[in-house]
Amino acid sequence: MSFKLSIGIYGLENLYGGSPRGLIEVAQKAEAAGIDQLSMTDHVVMGSRTDRYPYGEFPSPPETPWLEPMTIEAAIAGSTDKIELSQGILISPLRSAALLAKQVGTLDALAPGRVVMGLGTGWQREEFEASGLPFAGRKSYMFEQIGAMKALWKDAPASYQGEKIAFNDIYCRPAPETVPCWVGVKANEENCKAIAQVADGWIPIEQDPAVFGEGVKALHRAFEDAGRDPAELQVRAMVEHKFDANGNPDYQATIDTIPAMLEAGATYIEILPLYFVYDVAMFDEFFGRLAEAKKQFA
């Protein structure tokens, strides 16, 4: 079963003394080993109430440096040739549709055909308030944003009429020929319909194949209802990182979860190297093991 491997590069700059330039080397090593994609996390600013994180314990204190994904990926784009550049996720409602369309177009000009947008709504109200933007309605804005960006990339001049975004005879160049837009939202009926209308892929929050597999089925039905081929849907799912009885990361047990993920409909498998790599010298071996695992399950 064919699939692609994605690595989340969150936290890996810490292995380089906190230097963002280290992520360029990580990307180059991953590309050399045949890893298909990398993704970056995103927070523009952080409030102190990380205890309100809705998906368990937040992984870092609020003062943790968060690198801006589009900026870092532009640097990576100029230093690599094949690896796809994505996010997991970019909080797109913190950026205007026009600005994000230009950022994506510029990134694609640096890395033609290698940009895959992973978009989401964010969860912290303080982040939106500090940015002078409304927290309410951010999901509907995100879906309009995708439609508006695709209009800007397709036509010159472009027009778009939505409830939150509207423009007439607007130019936005450079423009990519195509950039897939994946979203990280729950696969309820409303969201599945919206994804099928404007988006290209799904980034499930759940790691359990039995759970996100039901979401894949719902999305396939939504694609059919929208007159789209369900095979077009891309699904990037995060592995459930396993640990032994002593709390140490268990690489093999983690990798062994992949077949069930593929059976559930994942087309991209994402893994976080930070659980398994403790020193820069370990990257080559780790990425090589991942490449072998991909061959094993393909």
Side-chain angles (χ1 to χ4, degrees), residues 27 35-36 49 79 93 114 120 154 166 169 173 181 227 258 260 285 298:
I35 306 303
D36 300 290
R49 295 301 305 272
S79 305
R114 292 198 281 141
K154 181 179 181 233
D169 295 335
R173 292 294 184 268
C181 291
I258 290 178
E285 179 184 359

Side-chain angles (χ1 to χ4, degrees), residues 59-71:
S60 57
E63 66 270 19
T64 299
W66 291 89
L67 302 171
E68 202 288 310
M70 303 300 285
T71 306

Side-chain angles (χ1 to χ4, degrees), residues 140-257:
S140 59
Y141 181 85
M142 177 187 70
F143 282 115
E144 279 199 26
Q145 192 175 37
I146 294 171
M149 289 194 298
K150 289 188 174 184
L152 288 167
W153 297 332
K154 181 179 181 233
D155 299 321
S159 298
Y160 181 86
Q161 296 296 322
E163 294 183 6
K164 302 174 183 292
I165 304 170
F167 49 80
N168 287 298
D169 295 335
I170 294 298
Y171 296 83
C172 183
R173 292 294 184 268
E177 182 175 336
T178 179
V179 168
C181 291
W182 302 349
V183 294
V185 294
K186 292 182 178 180
N188 58 33
E189 184 177 356
E190 176 187 6
N191 290 343
C192 286
K193 182 177 180 180
I195 291 170
Q197 287 176 339
V198 298
D200 310 288
W202 181 45
I203 306 170
I205 298 167
E206 303 86 357
Q207 297 173 326
D208 184 350
V211 177
F212 76 73
E214 293 302 310
V216 174
K217 293 176 184 177
L219 279 161
H220 283 168
R221 292 192 295 268
F223 266 52
E224 288 177 345
D225 291 343
R228 298 178 65 181
D229 182 356
E232 294 178 6
L233 176 71
Q234 299 296 308
V235 179
R236 185 177 73 210
M238 178 79 72
V239 298
E240 182 179 355
H241 297 88
K242 299 290 188 177
F243 300 86
D244 64 22
N246 297 318
N248 299 313
D250 189 326
Y251 171 82
Q252 192 56 52
T254 299
I255 293 301
D256 286 344
T257 67

